[in-house]
Amino acid sequence: MKLDELTLYLDELLQAPKYRDYCPNGLQVEGCGGVTHIVAGVTASQKLLDLAVERGAQAVLVHHGYFWKGEDGRITGMRRKRLATLLGNGISLLAYHLPLDAHPELGNNAQLAALFGWLPEGRFGEQDIGWFGRLPAPATLAEVSAGINGALGRQALVIGDPARPIRRVAWCSGGAQGYFEQAIALGVDLYLSGEISEQTVHLAEESGVAYVAAGHHATERYGVKAVAAHLQARFALECSFIDLDNPV
């Protein structure tokens, strides 16, 4: 598949031009013109790039790419090594941030709903990134958090009374704790995101709404994995998702 065709397809599939974001979405680093093997992962770390080289991939597809707003733009140290790995091996880097959180089927939040068995009812937050809905049946916070832990394969940080009944939920993958107050205003019993800060604990305790910090990386594995599977099924491409564990 030609690189420009792949880029155009992903841009349209994920509606990349629609989103105001903190980084450029789509093709971030241009490699060779043809793509037969894509390595996908959450973040374009040096370790992921080295594995892409090892596996003979022509493109890397990630959720967290490069060129974030406010970053030092100089190509030195770690940045120089990463870009040298890509350019020196003709590997392209494609990254989709908010578009990959928000996609109604392949996105991180859609995939989390399917993983947990939650029933989506609507969207909220800036650019409708956050989701809200309900459980198939009421459960206690302890039961819900146990299910989350089992699905993600890690121990989430849970703030709230374990016996609290949970019916309505809201969620947004990654570092979306800033949407917690909006979720509370929706009347939910629980809000899930990837991260938590000191003040978030107080907000959870004082509002009575449970907060689950399930891991930034852990909540953002599933969108890029779903897109990779979609590309492999639709085109004659080998797509390898590599989950490099991250405790945060």
Side-chain angles (χ1 to χ4, degrees), residues 38-108:
I38 298 172
V39 160
V42 176
T43 299
S45 64
Q46 186 64 49
K47 188 172 183 179
L48 185 70
L49 302 186
D50 290 342
L51 287 170
V53 173
E54 182 181 303
R55 298 188 181 202
Q58 297 84 38
V60 171
L61 173 67
V62 295
H63 181 49
H64 299 140
Y66 303 153
F67 315 116
W68 299 93
K69 287 182 181 178
E71 278 191 342
D72 188 334
R74 291 174 291 184
I75 309 302
T76 60
M78 179 184 73
R79 293 178 181 83
R80 186 205 65 79
K81 184 177 180 182
R82 288 178 174 183
L83 289 173
T85 301
L86 289 166
L87 295 171
N89 292 279
I91 299 174
S92 299
L93 176 65
L94 296 111
Y96 294 89
H97 185 232
L98 294 183
L100 196 52
D101 288 316
H103 192 275
E105 296 175 5
L106 303 174
N108 288 319

Side-chain angles (χ1 to χ4, degrees), residues 139-149 158 160-166 190:
T140 66
L141 177 58
E143 292 168 337
V144 174
S145 58
I148 291 168
N149 291 342
V158 180
D161 180 358
R164 189 197 202 288
I166 305 296
L190 176 151

